[in-house]
């Protein structure tokens, strides 16, 4: 008999058009599962959505049949993954691959028009169209990821889900790719769901942030509130792990001890209690609800419920 692992629980995401919504947390927090759930791409033998709603432009994605869902995936929501080579085919040129994505969404388009659009898409992500007949291995990691972004944008999606899009890249090119994503958002009014374990990247990219721990949202706030007043002990620990330019803040550091427990066997009560230095007896038995602590700022911690 299979074990049921509740990877993601009671997630409530409201993504405003034209904005970037961030999901942050360690590996195993359920960030990717959340993204794959939105696209209904959880492998059916290993994952399923047991209840809930995924509303997109007024339609519940969980109620669509597979052909309707395919249309959503292809036309309205695109996804960019961490490793560009998981999306690119090594045996086809970049021209072939972008061209195919364009043809998929415009069945009657002429050959000349396809070529023109391939050039436009490459230019959009800052790659010279003269490179289009190259194969993926002839590009650097950052350029490959930009090609992937170009392919993801061929269908003019309304929502782009980016799952650790720069994690596999050299630090020096991460900023280039992030800046291109920001420019594209401004130019095209794109909405992003941006997933990362890296708080600096999340800070740079996002308007609103959900901090996830073992499949639960522990804190949800606009960026400014989250960074000015991190409230959940886990958020505080995550923030403490990024370099602070101001040495006077060092005193407030709350280092994060230990490994994230297995999602197959999460701790009882507050899932963070095995690593939390503020834990009280209630934390081991009762899961704290997400409660409002400020303007649009929610936290799941008994310390806040008692306050
Ligand atoms: Fe720590 Fe308890 Fe708050 Fe969980 S509920 S974060 S264990 S203080």
């Amino acid at each position: 008999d299979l074990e049921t692992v509740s990877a993601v629980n009671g997630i409530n995401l409201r993504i405003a058009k034209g904005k970037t919504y961030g999901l942050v947390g360690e590996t195993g927090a359920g960030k990717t599962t959340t993204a794959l759930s939105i696209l209904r791409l959880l492998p059916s033998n290993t994952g399923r959505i047991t209840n809930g709603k995924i509303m997109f432009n007024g339609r519940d994605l969980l109620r669509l049949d597979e052909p309707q869902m395919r249309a959503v995936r292809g036309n309205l929501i695109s996804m960019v993954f961490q490793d560009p080579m998981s999306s690119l085919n090594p045996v086809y040129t970049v021209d072939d691959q972008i061209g195919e994505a364009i043809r998929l969404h415009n069945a009657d388009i002429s050959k000349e028009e396809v070529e023109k659009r391939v050039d436009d898409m490459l230019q959009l992500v800052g790659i010279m169209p003269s490179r289009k007949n190259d194969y993926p291995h002839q590009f650097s990691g950052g350029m490959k990821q930009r090609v992937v972004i170009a392919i993801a944008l061929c269908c003019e999606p309304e929502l782009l889900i980016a799952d650790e899009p720069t994690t596999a890249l050299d630090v020096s090119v991460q900023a280039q790719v992030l800046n291109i994503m920001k420019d594209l958002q401004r130019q095209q009014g794109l909405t992003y769901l941006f997933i990362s374990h890296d708080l600096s990247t999340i800070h740079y990219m996002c308007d609103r942030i959900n901090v996830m721990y073992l499949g639960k949202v522990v804190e949800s706030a606009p960026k400014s509130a989250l960074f000015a007043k991190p409230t959940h002990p886990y958020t505080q620990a995550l923030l403490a792990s990024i370099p602070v330019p101001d040495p006077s803040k060092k005193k407030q550091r709350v280092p994060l001890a230990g490994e994230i427990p297995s999602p197959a066997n999460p701790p009882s009560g507050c899932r963070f209690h095995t690593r939390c230095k503020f834990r009280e007896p209630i934390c081991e038995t009762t899961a704290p609800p997400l409660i409002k602590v400020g303007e649009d700022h929610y936290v799941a911690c008994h310390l806040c419920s008692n306050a």
Side-chain angles (χ1 to χ4, degrees):
D1 288 13
L2 291 174
E3 197 176 9
T4 307
V5 178
S6 209
V8 189
N9 268 301
I11 301 290
N12 200 346
L13 305 176
R14 235 170 235 286
I15 307 181
K17 207 171 166 45
K19 301 278 184 195
T20 302
Y21 202 112
L23 290 184
V24 67
E26 291 159 285
T27 306
K31 308 181 301 290
T32 300
T33 308
T34 304
L36 294 176
S37 308
I38 294 173
L39 284 177
R40 293 207 349 223
L41 286 176
L42 286 176
S44 57
N45 54 342
T46 54
R48 83 196 149 90
I49 305 170
T50 46
N51 54 38
K53 273 191 200 164
I54 299 175
M55 302 300 293
F56 186 75
N57 286 349
R59 285 197 298 173
D60 185 354
L61 300 186
L62 295 185
R63 292 178 176 272
L64 302 184
D65 60 23
E66 194 42 41
Q68 288 171 322
M69 196 57 216
R70 258 201 303 276
V72 167
R73 270 184 225 123
N75 295 306
L76 300 173
I77 308 179
S78 286
M79 190 151 175
V80 172
F81 297 93
Q82 175 174 335
D83 172 14
M85 284 317 286
S86 66
S87 314
L88 295 175
N89 190 327
V91 301
Y92 290 106
T93 64
V94 160
D95 184 26
D96 288 338
Q97 297 185 59
I98 301 178
E100 185 187 312
I102 293 168
R103 274 189 300 273
L104 260 177
H105 298 285
N106 309 274
D108 319 320
I109 190 168
S110 72
K111 236 178 141 193
E112 294 70 36
E113 273 174 281
V114 172
E115 284 314 310
K116 187 178 172 309
R117 287 216 52 205
V118 170
D119 294 355
D120 291 347
M121 294 312 294
L122 281 172
Q123 253 158 357
L124 199 61
V125 295
I127 295 177
M128 305 248 285
S130 58
R131 297 283 314 265
K132 69 181 176 183
N133 291 319
D134 288 354
Y135 291 86
H137 72 88
Q138 292 169 287
F139 287 92
S140 67
M143 286 170 88
K144 281 196 266 258
Q145 194 61 299
R146 284 190 264 158
V147 171
V148 171
I149 292 169
I151 292 174
L153 295 181
C154 284
C155 63
E156 299 176 11
E158 291 181 25
L159 173 66
L160 183 75
I161 302 177
D163 188 0
E164 305 271 8
T166 58
T167 305
L169 307 177
D170 285 348
V171 177
S172 55
V173 292
Q174 286 185 359
Q176 277 176 24
V177 172
L178 295 178
N179 286 335
I180 282 179
M181 290 186 69
K182 279 194 152 193
D183 288 347
L184 291 171
Q185 180 170 47
R186 260 194 304 270
Q187 288 163 21
Q188 315 209 346
L190 286 165
T191 305
Y192 291 144
L193 176 61
F194 194 92
I195 300 173
S196 180
H197 69 283
D198 174 22
L199 264 169
S200 326
T201 308
I202 287 278
H203 180 267
Y204 187 60
M205 292 301 286
C206 302
D207 300 294
R208 188 178 176 88
I209 298 159
N210 268 7
V211 181
M212 292 188 69
Y213 188 76
L214 282 179
K216 296 243 187 204
V217 172
V218 296
E219 184 156 4
S220 175
K223 170 169 70 182
S224 51
L226 192 91
F227 281 82
K229 207 166 170 285
T231 304
H232 194 281
Y234 178 59
T235 313
Q236 292 172 353
L238 274 185
L239 278 176
S241 64
I242 57 173
V244 189
D246 176 1
S248 68
K249 287 202 174 158
K250 262 194 181 147
K251 286 195 282 306
Q252 301 163 9
R253 287 189 163 210
V254 194
L256 187 55
E259 295 287 309
I260 190 165
S262 158
N265 188 18
S268 57
C270 170
R271 294 181 172 196
F272 187 56
H273 82 252
T274 53
R275 299 166 85 186
C276 181
K277 66 173 201 171
F278 303 108
R279 75 170 167 267
E280 293 175 1
I282 187 180
C283 304
E284 292 173 32
T285 54
T286 312
L290 206 57
I291 60 161
K292 190 166 179 176
V293 297
E295 181 68 33
D296 225 5
H297 190 163
Y298 298 84
V299 177
C301 171
H302 290 302
L303 296 179
C304 301
S305 322
N306 297 338

